[in-house]
Amino acid sequence: MEILKVRDLFKTYGKGDNIVRALDGISFSVEKGQFLAIIGPSGSGKSTLLHILGGVDTPTSGKVYMDGQDVFAKNEEQLAIFRRRQVGLIYQFYNLIPVLNVTENITLPVLMDGRKVDKDRLQELIETLGLQGREKHLPNQLSGGQQQRVSIGRALINAPAVVLADEPTGNLDSKNSQEIVELLKLSNKKYGQTLIVITHDERIALQADRVITIEDGKITKDEVLRR
Amino acid sequence: MNILGTVTRRYLVKNKTRTLVTIIGIILSAAMITAVTTIISSLQAYMYNYAVYTDGDWHGCLYEVPEDQIESVLSDSQVESGAVGQIVGYSYIETDNTDKPYLYILGGDQLFFDRMPVHLTQGSLPETPDEIILPEHIYTYGGQLPEIGAQITIDVGRRVSEGYYLSQSNPLTWTFDENGEEVVDEAIEDTHPRTYTVVGYYQRPGFEDFRAPGYTALTCLDSTLDGYTAELYFKMNDPKATFDFVESQPYAGSANSDVLMFLGASRYDTFYTVLYGLGAILICLIIFGSVSLIYNAFSISVSERTRDFGLLSSIGATKKQIRHMVFSEATTVSVIGIPLGVLAGILGIGVTLHFIGGNFAALFSSGFASGMGAIELAVSWPAIIIACVLAFITVLISAWIPSKRATKITAIEAIRQSGDISIKPREVRTSPLTYRLFGLEGAIASKHFKRNRRRYRATVISLFMSVVLFISASSFCRYLTDSVMDVFMEYDYDIHFEWADDEQLTSSDSSQPSPEELTSIFTSVDEVTGYNLVSSMSCDVPVSVDIISDELAELYSGSFSADRSQLDELFSDNTVTVFGQIYGITDEYYRSYLEEHGLDTEKFMDSASPTALIVPSVSFFNRATQRQEVLQVFHEGVDSFTALIPDNQRMQEFHSSDTSDLTSEEYNRAYYACYDQLEIDIGGTVQDLPLGLNTARTDYIIILYPMSVFRQISDQFENASVSNCIYLTTNDHTAAMENLESAAEENGIHTGNFQDVRELGDMNMSLVTIIQVFSYGFIALISLISVANVFNTISTNINLRRREFAMLKSVGETSKGFNKMMNYECLLYGSKALIFGIPVAFGITYLIFRSVNSGLEVSFYLPWAAVAIAVGSVFLVVFATMMYAMRKIKKDNPIDALKSENI
């Protein structure tokens, strides 16, 4: 089943001679439950693509269908709710709210939606992430790897259609990096979570089901490693 | 609690200092707004009480309602209740007041004594229709007054003139008899004798018109009387309906306009227009000042959290939720700040009124409201609610703009914080001069200043505002004080007693006290410290325009009174007749006065050849320019002139004779013949006048003689009118006035001739004090807001640059270098605020000068002391804040700061 479909995405900055084509006609689809890695040199447009998929940035032209819905046909309000429910975002710099503790940061999307937190799911998630005993800690009391695990928890709490991760290990040492990748793989296996990870780390990319390579805003390679 | 609310609250707790400063800002702003609304409500209550005290607690009144109609008026559905004043009638009393020969007896019911302004000074209220109280102002004109407990029997009847009954609203009727003399044209008829026991005296009642012919005496309503008429004083259910109700009645009546005005029910509400207008201006200033602070605080808080907002947005917070966060921040600080502010405001005004309430009392309680207390704090709910709402609006306005900015940035921009770092190289270019003068540190500071222009602008604007407000308020106060002093402090004495030579000063016909006798009576009062007895006689002086100054000639070339132009016509074209006043000053005083001024005593005291002293220049109110101006009288070298002294008897005969068939030449000659001539030799000039005299009168030529010479001259003119005045200086004018009056009474002398001019001056000083307290208080608070604002901005800015400072430190910037950088930044802030602030303040000072100068001659000056204070304070505040903020930063470990992601 196709969970994500991207058609002819263009994103340009500037005008005339100064025009920069960040995305230059990108089209692909992702099956539900797939673990996709997007690689490419810096400036190739992979972060822009991820932000557009997450609905935080808008394309100059082209369409993104998530779970059959046209993402950019939504108004701002609907888009915010879409992000809240359908997308989980993981950043290189964790981006946790510094004044909220671990539990609060993880449950933020649920609470913002005005829903009740599923205690069992939260507990399971915290255990899966290895954050037991740290529930009340503030982000600045955690190590980098722990902070990133909190942000993974936040991305997973709503069981979104897609989890998007932008260089999730870019700021971590190799041991922590591998732990994070294992967690992501686990969520992919355990919950059947669709996963799109941007990375320039070959070792991580090779653990994915499929690897797309982007250069100068175009897809230059699309290899399926395992099915 | 909602999760975003929690986030907000935690931010507030985390940024304690800023939250505190914001709350202080809100407290100050709420306190000031409350102060303004509370002072308005207090003033309103005071004025209302004042009006009730002087005029009585009623809305409308009807005069002369027949007995059988009283019930129907009072039971009208619009009328709440009414007091009845039964008109018993008029009787003659013994008094020297020719316009007020009657006693007017009014029988009040219980409500009448409750509501009407009856303030006893002695004795008690009447309890039966046989008891009576008399108004105190009967005393002013002497006469034999009954003691308390004495019985008086009087013939009471109705005032009738030409067949009409008259009431208190008709002044005494006069007519001319066959000899052309004025005589009273009315009488009291239908009299019947009544006996009353005098049980007390009370203050002159506010409901007695000044022109009313009868002194109002009060007794109790006598229900045994038949067919009387009554005055009704009633309250309405709806005070606003008073005017229409009174008009709809078939009787004459009036509305208690002051009470209605202070109730807000008047048709003429200028009082409120002025009060509310002034209040609105002040509140606008306060809101402007506070918004700049509170906005700044929110704006800093929002821009610090831009990234968090973006982050929240990226994980699905809607714009509404983000905006809600900013407003919940605003609400939280308001909930703490506003109640505290309102309390502080009420407390502040309470304390202020406690201390200056006496000045208010001095302002209003002269005359017949002397029993009124000082102004008291009147807290009204509407005033507090208005203050709360306005303060909350202030906070909301302040939060609105940052919240717009918070929601405008898209998630992706927020994450990248691109909005905060978009600068172009040109914007931060600094001049090579800065580099040379202040080194690298100066250049970096200057670049910072330029980069954060918007944020810094708020600091500069609030400093600017304080400077402008402070300087202009102090010049306002200064000019105000000066002008009040100018107009009212010109008197060099405290009390004067003035009378005409032929005036009856005692009620007995026998012996009138001589001026010297009066003087010795008055100077025997302990509080009197000095005196001067002056007699004077007015004269007209025809002078050639050649010998008087051009200004005086020009003044007279305009049309003056008809009489004078008749004289002018007699003389040649270039002669004008100028007002003059001849003064005689007690020999003793005059002698020492001459010695004091180094003048020849023998020459000026010599009665064989009278030699006058002349005042060379006088001040006068120029109607054309509406200003008080100084003018020179004579050209140099004039040593004599002729004065014309009017002979009153001839003047009167001339006016009553038939002049219709005279030619205008003959008429003028006949008129001129009413004057006697007096040659005046000028022996010298003196600008400094003896005690009591001042130049601000309409006499342009002031001629001084010793009393002996003056009397010798005035005796030559039998029918000239001579008036006398004793000027007294005292060490306590109020006590002196009381003792003088009792001393006069003991000697049977009328006290109406006394005037306490110092009291007038004191009233104006009170006004100045009140204005000074309020304006300086206002400035102090507005300045506090600015200080908080500056503190907030500078310390936050420094905090935001922690990382950068750490970086500079890590590349080897020394402590000294930091100080240099910070000092230069302080200099930039301070001088920028002053460069704009001082000229604007001077401009406003000039405008104040212009408006004051339109009424008085004051010289323009710049408030240098205030400028110095402003400059000093600006730099003090800026430097102190920098020091405070830097002390915290300097403790930082550069590596921690460099690593810290969130500041």
Side-chain angles (χ1 to χ4, degrees), chain B residues 46-360:
Chain B
Y46 184 75
M47 296 307 282
Y48 175 74
N49 289 339
Y50 175 77
V52 166
Y53 187 91
T54 55
D55 299 339
D57 188 13
W58 48 276
H59 299 154
C61 74
L62 295 171
Y63 308 118
E64 296 184 87
V65 181
E67 184 192 359
D68 51 351
Q69 296 297 311
I70 293 174
E71 195 47 43
S72 81
V73 172
L74 294 186
S75 59
D76 191 290
S77 61
Q78 285 180 273
V79 174
E80 189 225 69
S81 61
V84 180
Q86 177 189 44
I87 301 171
V88 181
Y90 284 95
S91 95
Y92 288 107
I93 50 158
E94 217 179 285
T95 175
D96 293 342
N97 188 345
T98 47
D99 289 318
K100 221 162 171 157
Y102 308 127
L103 200 60
Y104 174 65
I105 300 157
L106 208 56
D109 61 0
Q110 187 55 47
L111 209 51
F112 185 94
F113 287 104
D114 287 348
R115 286 191 182 164
M116 298 307 283
V118 178
H119 306 294
L120 283 176
T121 54
Q122 288 179 59
S124 56
L125 288 174
E127 277 161 10
T128 68
D130 295 324
E131 293 183 341
I132 199 162
I133 56 172
L134 301 175
E136 220 183 14
H137 64 306
I138 291 190
Y139 268 131
T140 327
Y141 277 89
Q144 204 59 47
L145 289 163
E147 295 284 311
I148 287 179
Q151 295 219 322
I152 52 168
T153 304
I154 44 179
D155 290 323
V156 181
R158 307 181 73 172
R159 273 171 72 206
V160 182
S161 178
E162 296 176 351
Y164 291 101
Y165 290 120
L166 304 176
S167 74
Q168 281 286 75
S169 47
N170 310 107
L172 201 63
T173 329
W174 295 86
T175 188
F176 290 101
D177 68 2
E178 58 273 21
N179 301 324
E181 299 275 325
E182 270 196 311
V183 290
V184 173
D185 187 27
E186 58 174 81
I188 295 179
E189 292 175 4
D190 304 333
T191 58
H192 51 278
R194 286 207 62 133
T195 302
Y196 290 106
T197 309
V198 178
V199 294
Y201 283 92
Y202 74 110
Q203 281 179 18
R204 183 201 169 106
F207 54 86
E208 182 186 296
D209 194 276
F210 279 92
R211 292 162 304 150
Y215 291 97
T216 312
L218 298 175
T219 178
C220 284
L221 190 127
D222 184 355
S223 48
T224 61
L225 282 182
D226 279 332
Y228 61 85
T229 56
E231 298 181 358
L232 297 185
Y233 295 91
F234 49 85
K235 275 181 139 174
M236 304 290 290
N237 289 322
D238 174 16
K240 284 201 171 79
T242 311
F243 296 93
D244 292 330
F245 180 77
V246 170
E247 259 168 50
S248 72
Q249 296 295 314
Y251 319 104
S254 67
N256 195 352
S257 44
D258 281 1
V259 166
L260 290 177
M261 181 168 86
F262 297 125
L263 273 180
S266 172
R267 292 177 176 181
Y268 316 101
D269 46 6
T270 40
F271 171 74
Y272 285 111
T273 318
V274 171
L275 198 60
Y276 290 160
L278 212 63
I281 291 171
L282 284 180
I283 288 178
C284 282
L285 273 176
I286 297 166
I287 290 183
F288 181 69
S290 340
V291 164
S292 76
L293 161 68
I294 302 167
Y295 158 76
N296 216 3
F298 279 114
S299 150
I300 294 166
S301 153
V302 165
S303 82
E304 256 183 52
R305 284 155 59 194
T306 310
R307 223 176 89 153
D308 295 329
F309 286 137
L311 177 66
L312 286 169
S313 162
S314 77
I315 58 172
T318 60
K319 282 193 176 195
K320 216 170 114 195
Q321 281 173 318
I322 304 259
R323 196 177 308 130
H324 190 80
M325 280 179 77
V326 179
F327 281 107
S328 87
E329 185 176 338
T331 314
T332 312
V333 287
S334 296
V335 162
I336 302 168
I338 292 177
L340 284 177
V342 167
L343 277 180
I346 293 173
L347 203 73
I349 281 298
V351 170
T352 312
L353 289 184
H354 177 74
F355 286 112
I356 65 162
N359 287 325
F360 265 98

Side-chain angles (χ1 to χ4, degrees), chain A residues 24-45:
Chain A
D24 201 1
I26 299 250
S27 299
F28 65 93
S29 324
V30 179
E31 291 291 317
K32 188 169 166 42
Q34 197 168 47
F35 176 7
L36 170 68
I38 298 176
I39 57 169
S42 69
S44 61

Side-chain angles (χ1 to χ4, degrees), chain B residues 159 178 186 250-251 263 379 388 472 484 566 701 710 790 822 867:
Chain B
R159 273 171 72 206
E178 58 273 21
E186 58 174 81
Y251 319 104
L263 273 180
V379 179
C388 288
S472 29
V484 172
Q566 285 152 15
I701 302 180
F710 177 85
V790 170
M822 287 297 106
V867 171

Side-chain angles (χ1 to χ4, degrees), chain B residues 550-852:
Chain B
D550 298 344
E551 298 151 290
L552 188 59
E554 194 186 327
L555 188 69
Y556 269 84
S557 66
S559 61
F560 252 100
S561 79
D563 279 358
R564 260 147 261 277
S565 65
Q566 285 152 15
L567 285 182
D568 293 348
E569 278 173 34
L570 267 182
F571 303 108
S572 62
D573 280 347
N574 63 347
T575 301
V576 292
T577 312
V578 179
F579 297 100
Q581 194 80 7
I582 305 169
Y583 288 104
I585 289 131
T586 314
D587 285 10
E588 191 191 338
Y589 185 101
Y590 199 62
R591 191 181 298 278
S592 58
Y593 172 75
L594 289 173
E595 281 164 2
E596 206 177 296
H597 290 85
L599 293 161
D600 185 349
T601 336
E602 291 308 309
K603 176 178 155 196
F604 290 102
M605 300 290 292
D606 183 9
S607 53
S609 61
T611 312
L613 268 177
I614 295 287
V615 177
S617 53
V618 294
S619 72
F620 77 109
F621 186 74
N622 187 338
R623 274 176 216 292
T625 58
Q626 289 287 306
R627 291 171 36 165
Q628 198 77 29
E629 288 175 0
V630 173
L631 155 155
Q632 194 197 340
V633 181
F634 288 113
H635 283 307
E636 300 284 322
V638 176
D639 56 6
S640 74
F641 58 89
T642 308
L644 300 178
I645 315 285
D647 182 304
N648 286 339
Q649 196 169 343
R650 270 179 278 158
M651 199 63 96
Q652 211 166 348
E653 281 163 11
F654 172 73
H655 281 304
S656 52
S657 66
D658 183 12
T659 54
S660 55
D661 50 355
L662 295 180
T663 66
S664 98
E665 169 80 12
E666 284 167 339
Y667 181 92
N668 290 342
R669 293 219 168 276
Y671 181 74
Y672 182 56
C674 300
Y675 285 95
D676 290 317
Q677 298 197 2
L678 173 68
E679 277 302 316
I680 291 174
D681 286 320
I682 305 175
T685 61
V686 63
Q687 187 60 52
D688 179 27
L689 285 166
L691 180 70
L693 304 189
N694 67 57
T695 63
R697 299 174 62 142
T698 45
D699 314 306
Y700 297 108
I701 302 180
I702 295 173
I703 304 146
L704 303 179
Y705 285 116
M707 188 62 86
S708 51
V709 176
F710 177 85
R711 282 294 165 190
Q712 184 187 318
I713 293 169
S714 68
D715 288 347
Q716 296 167 25
F717 308 100
E718 202 189 330
N719 294 313
S721 48
V722 173
S723 64
N724 310 291
C725 194
I726 299 171
Y727 299 100
L728 302 166
T729 55
T730 65
N731 49 27
D732 177 355
H733 66 96
T734 322
M737 187 71 175
E738 260 173 46
N739 292 333
L740 282 169
E741 282 179 341
S742 50
E745 272 164 28
E746 276 168 30
N747 290 280
I749 299 159
H750 297 170
T751 56
N753 297 35
F754 281 113
Q755 200 181 351
D756 186 347
V757 295
R758 189 61 62 205
E759 186 177 280
L760 278 173
D762 281 359
M763 269 166 62
N764 288 289
M765 276 316 291
S766 293
L767 187 66
V768 172
T769 312
I770 289 169
I771 290 172
Q772 281 181 339
V773 165
F774 280 101
S775 40
Y776 279 119
F778 179 76
I779 297 317
L781 289 175
I782 277 274
S783 304
L784 256 182
I785 288 191
S786 302
V787 169
N789 198 0
V790 170
F791 177 84
N792 209 1
T793 332
I794 295 183
S795 60
T796 310
N797 273 333
I798 288 184
N799 215 14
L800 283 176
R801 277 157 57 191
R802 258 176 82 185
R803 222 156 148 182
E804 191 182 305
F805 287 135
M807 188 276 291
L808 287 173
K809 218 187 252 181
S810 72
V811 297
E813 179 85 277
T814 60
S815 244
K816 212 173 135 200
F818 269 118
N819 288 344
K820 218 166 143 189
M821 195 162 98
M822 287 297 106
N823 289 347
Y824 182 69
E825 253 178 77
C826 290
L827 220 63
L828 276 177
Y829 277 124
S831 47
K832 210 149 205 172
L834 292 171
I835 283 167
F836 292 111
I838 291 178
V840 172
F842 282 176
I844 293 174
T845 303
Y846 180 70
L847 290 180
I848 295 169
F849 159 73
R850 282 284 298 275
S851 72
V852 172

Side-chain angles (χ1 to χ4, degrees), chain A residues 40-96:
Chain A
S42 69
S44 61
K46 49 189 198 309
S47 283
T48 305
L49 174 63
L50 192 88
H51 286 137
I52 289 173
L53 296 184
V56 292
D57 204 354
T58 48
T60 310
S61 70
K63 300 244 183 231
V64 174
Y65 296 94
M66 189 150 319
D67 219 358
Q69 294 171 33
D70 184 348
V71 172
F72 295 103
K74 297 171 187 293
N75 66 24
E76 293 234 27
E77 183 82 15
Q78 290 165 334
L79 203 58
I81 292 168
F82 158 78
R83 284 201 293 270
R84 196 188 282 171
R85 296 182 183 160
Q86 306 289 332
V87 183
L89 269 172
I90 299 166
Y91 299 95
Q92 178 179 358
F93 294 105
Y94 334 127
N95 282 341
L96 301 176

